Amino acid sequence: MNGSVRIGRVVGVPLRMHWSVPLLVVLFAYGLGRQTLPVIAPGRSAVVYALAGVVGAALLTGSLLLHETAHAAIARRKQISVEDVTLWALGGMTRMGRPQTAAAAFAVAISGPLTSLLIGGIALGAGFGLHVLSLWAVPAVVLVWLGWANVLLGVFNLLPAVPLDGGRVVQALLWWRTGDRDRADIAASRGGQVMGVLLVAVGWFAVLRGLPSGLWLALIGLFIMVVAGSERRRAAMQTALRGVRAADAMSAPVVTGADWLTVQRFIDEVAVTTGHSVVPLLDFEGRPSGLVQVRRLASIPVAQRAELRVRDVAIPMSQCAVAAPGDLLSEAMDRVTLRTGMRILVVDAGHLVGIITAKDVSRLMRRHTLRDGRTGAGTG
């Protein structure tokens, strides 16, 4: 996600934080320390309220991280590739590959809300326990606040709207019921668009009635609408490309470069003349070894270009999307990562025979649209 920085790793995958997270922590801390605590546990100093507010906001952020960590951990257990986990203003996002079974999709989707509900139950139990024992009133309020926040988070995420976890659950159940993943994706994403419109409408109605919190609900609804629409288009594309093989979509021959060249020689002899933004690399034996992004070469200081080999700054083959000529294009596209973009290397017997880019997929989609239009005209 743009605007995020890497801050570590969690369950073996990169953990990133968006710039909006500190702002979210400040808002939570202010609401808890200046509004909630003084009303429920009066008589304390401003320093106590401020400290408790910061602690509560940090704990809530940690619980959001645990929610996303549950998704990532279950995904890895189900042999699903996980690219990273990102915390941001609307909670969190775990970027991963597509599950290969409905059962795996269901397990990954339900793990997050269950984690939030479990944290909420534990926090509520501890908070009410401290309240009954008349011990530490401020910590008790913080724990109860944290508990209800996690319960609301878990329940809200179970709404049947993609990309919320509840939408993923519906997606998995429809997939299991129909046996058709693309059909399930289209139905679930359509439901997500409807739910997004409803949330936007309710949010704006609340704002017009004088409730500023409605703006937050409207923003969430808008986000759901956008993502659900994107997923619906992706599902429609998967349906249109059903049965198409990688060999039918690839462009060939492929412009390549030698991975043993220095960065400077590669720029002079390959990058400048090809006009491509990404160039596949071949090793001494003529086998593909990775992809190099021209913009990455441009960022290397001139003083280092004569010594650094291009393979040292390339995306290694292990992180590239690779397909055999006979592989289904829809399955090959599931291997695409954000790092390489929509680029699939088609390899046959260890040799690069073609490449599939977004332009190739668009060309196939246009052909499919024209064919459907011609068919529709004929049957009318």
Side-chain angles (χ1 to χ4, degrees), residues 241-314:
L241 299 178
R242 185 176 297 174
V244 177
R245 303 288 174 177
D248 302 325
M250 70 182 189
S251 294
V254 185
V255 176
T256 61
D259 67 357
W260 65 86
L261 294 177
T262 64
V263 170
Q264 188 60 59
R265 281 193 60 190
F266 191 91
I267 292 175
D268 295 337
E269 299 176 10
V270 182
V272 173
T273 60
T274 63
H276 297 303
S277 60
V278 176
V279 180
L281 299 178
L282 302 180
D283 61 17
F284 279 110
E285 298 179 353
R287 297 178 180 274
S289 61
L291 286 169
V292 65
Q293 298 170 318
V294 174
R295 60 181 174 83
R296 173 73 178 91
L297 299 179
S299 67
I300 298 174
V302 176
Q304 300 178 15
R305 295 179 182 180
E307 301 177 356
L308 201 61
R309 302 289 176 180
V310 70
R311 60 172 170 256
D312 297 328
V313 297

Side-chain angles (χ1 to χ4, degrees), residues 331-350:
E331 295 179 357
M333 290 175 63
D334 289 342
R335 305 166 197 158
V336 171
T337 65
L338 291 178
R339 186 176 183 186
T340 60
M342 183 55 222
R343 296 176 182 88
I344 304 171
L345 299 179
V346 184
V347 179
D348 187 19

Side-chain angles (χ1 to χ4, degrees), residues 2 33 111 133 139 165 229 265 282 302 353 362 373:
N2 294 333
S111 61
L133 296 174
D165 296 327
R265 281 193 60 190
L282 302 180
V302 176
V353 296
S362 296

Side-chain angles (χ1 to χ4, degrees), residues 26 43 59 112 216 284 352 380:
V26 170
L59 288 175
W216 192 257
F284 279 110
L352 184 66

